[in-house]
Amino acid sequence: MDFTFTEEQQAAVEAARAVFSDVAPDRAPSPSLTRGAVAEDIDRRLWHELARTDLLGLTLSPDHGGAGLDPIALCLVLRESARVLARVPLLESCAVATALQRYGDRTLAAELLPRAGRGELILTVGANGRTGHDPAELAVSARPYGDGDGDDGNGDGNGDGDGDGDGDGDGDGDGRDDGPDGGASGWVLDGVQTAVPWAQVADWIAVPAHTAGGRPVLALVPRTRDGVTLADQVSTNGERLAEVRLEAVRVEARELIATAGCWDWLRSLLTTGTCALALGLGERVLAMTADYTGKREQFGFPVATFQAVAVQAADRYIDLRAMEATLWQAAWRISTGSGGPLPAAGDVAVAKIWASDGVRRVVQTAQHLHGGFGADTDYPLHRYHAWAKQIELSLGPAAAHEEALGDLLAAHPLG
């Protein structure tokens, strides 16, 4: 087995490190000292620098002005961004753009993706549903309007290439969604998505929804579209979120992706990207801890030489290596579509288990080994702790992922 990253992937890491080398974790006010959001806008200077170095178009094809790399490269860059707590929707914008390129309408992709790669458009996604605990697609309903109901195979048979009218594609067998679902002229969306990152400054919001037949779809909705209202929310780490409410919001047929598997794939990419953020953050926190304990002395010796300190740090290092191995396994499955004894969702679940528990253990140990200094708001560790908690909450409890993994194992016995 070869775990070496390609030259192109390594070049992306080097470019990211150059860009993020100028970013200070305390560029925004401390979330511990700020009521409400730490800032009203993303880090625009960083966003433009990411665009200038082509990192926003990393996973876009050359036809759309991108580098044509895979989600593994995106996760590598996200890992670097988390080391400096980069305040930009890099994961959300790149993930939505990649899903649109992979599954969406060609004309809409041609209009939006080059601008997204240049940083002229910001994309985000509502992946938390109404409460953050239920499947996101169940929080919004999508019903067709126009010259066909198109919901359960009652259209004109130009769907996924098999003529059954389910509207999952364009009949050419490429799995893309090139036209209206079952003859519908458009769709009407109703529902709520909570905790949508940076929705207030995004130009388009990807909204998972379900049809009357229970089929998951993904709608791309301009933030300023009639019927879309936003209510401010604030994350644990002080970043701006929004509750996005949709009331009879109309979207064009090309703005809704009905291709089977689109939302599942996007959700897996978002989750895997979040695991990459957890890894990068954890690695930076452990490095800070090693530096501090190597300089802090007790009884005339650096505390890093004490066995109790060294063992705790070593345990956290093992956590990080497990987080890394499971992250790249999940990213590889998503990038290549390779088969395995379990569906790719199994690898994503394992990555979530390690990332959710691992990032929590790393920051808790770091706080313990820093002593009271770790709570000093003039020192950046408390910021990393807040971001780690936000990541842990985003991923959800490890026990839930273990249960999901158990269900997959029961459904796919390993023989």
Side-chain angles (χ1 to χ4, degrees):
M1 300 178 67
D2 185 3
F3 293 97
T4 305
F5 295 111
T6 66
E7 291 184 4
E8 292 81 4
Q9 291 166 344
Q10 292 172 344
V13 173
E14 293 173 3
R17 286 176 178 168
V19 171
F20 294 129
S21 65
D22 192 39
V23 178
D26 55 358
R27 183 177 289 182
S30 167
S32 300
L33 304 176
T34 307
R35 303 187 74 178
V38 297
E40 295 297 308
D41 199 0
I42 64 173
D43 188 337
R44 290 286 176 176
R45 185 175 71 177
L46 176 58
W47 189 252
H48 295 318
E49 190 65 15
L50 289 169
R52 186 188 67 80
T53 52
D54 297 326
L55 290 175
L56 294 183
L58 197 65
T59 57
L60 299 181
S61 71
D63 291 342
H64 296 133
L69 299 185
D70 57 17
I72 294 175
L74 175 60
C75 288
L76 285 166
V77 173
L78 290 168
R79 180 188 190 179
E80 298 301 319
S81 75
R83 297 178 191 268
V84 296
L85 307 183
R87 299 181 49 261
V88 287
L90 179 62
L91 169 59
E92 294 81 10
S93 198
C94 290
V96 173
T98 307
L100 173 58
Q101 173 179 263
R102 184 183 178 102
Y103 294 100
D105 179 84
R106 288 185 176 87
T107 59
L108 185 63
E111 291 174 15
L112 299 186
L113 296 186
R115 297 183 63 197
R118 296 192 298 267
E120 299 168 3
L121 284 179
I122 296 176
L123 310 174
T124 190
V125 56
N128 295 304
R130 182 181 294 272
T131 65
H133 300 289
D134 300 319
E137 67 272 19
L138 300 183
V140 177
S141 64
R143 65 181 190 276
Y145 71 86
D147 53 1
D149 63 14
D151 181 50
D152 291 310
N154 298 321
D156 57 9
N158 63 349
D160 56 0
D162 58 7
D164 65 359
D166 64 3
D168 286 344
D170 62 354
D172 60 7
D174 66 357
R176 297 173 63 95
D177 183 35
D178 289 4
D181 187 284
S185 300
W187 295 80
V188 178
L189 306 178
D190 289 282
V192 175
Q193 291 287 344
T194 193
V196 180
W198 293 109
Q200 298 89 339
V201 298
D203 298 286
W204 289 72
I205 303 171
V207 179
H210 66 280
T211 66
R215 183 156 53 93
V217 295
L218 184 70
L220 295 168
V221 184
R223 172 176 52 83
T224 56
R225 182 67 54 85
D226 289 344
V228 176
T229 57
L230 308 180
D232 281 348
Q233 296 176 320
V234 181
S235 68
T236 301
N237 59 346
E239 301 300 310
R240 285 188 85 184
L241 306 174
E243 179 188 78
V244 178
R245 188 171 296 275
L246 304 105
E247 297 181 358
V249 175
R250 291 200 168 201
V251 296
E252 301 174 13
R254 68 175 190 152
E255 295 171 343
L256 187 135
I257 304 174
T259 310
C262 173
W263 168 236
D264 287 339
W265 187 87
L266 175 55
R267 179 172 52 197
S268 293
L269 178 55
L270 290 168
T271 300
T272 305
T274 304
C275 293
L277 295 174
L279 176 62
L281 186 150
E283 289 175 330
R284 176 58 184 148
V285 166
L286 190 61
M288 293 169 62
T289 305
D291 182 66
Y292 176 79
T293 57
K295 296 176 180 177
R296 176 78 165 89
E297 292 189 358
Q298 286 184 356
F299 312 112
F301 296 94
V303 297
T305 62
F306 298 168
Q307 185 178 31
V309 172
V311 167
Q312 290 183 71
D315 285 343
R316 300 296 77 82
Y317 178 82
I318 293 171
D319 278 337
L320 290 173
R321 298 290 68 80
M323 290 166 63
E324 183 178 21
T326 55
L327 163 66
W328 298 132
Q329 172 69 11
W332 175 73
R333 290 290 301 275
I334 294 172
S335 297
T336 64
S338 299
L342 292 178
D347 294 297
V348 174
V350 173
K352 286 198 291 185
I353 290 168
W354 278 102
S356 180
D357 270 0
V359 73
R360 173 179 50 79
R361 288 194 292 258
V362 168
V363 295
Q364 285 180 345
T365 298
Q367 288 283 11
H368 176 65
L369 297 182
H370 274 82
F373 196 57
D376 188 344
T377 55
D378 291 328
Y379 186 68
L381 182 59
H382 76 285
R383 296 174 183 269
Y384 285 91
H385 200 156
W387 278 67
K389 179 55 66 174
Q390 178 63 32
I391 289 173
E392 181 189 356
L393 292 172
S394 299
L395 290 170
H401 311 320
E402 291 166 352
E403 183 176 345
L405 182 60
D407 291 341
L408 284 170
L409 287 168
H412 302 83
L414 302 181

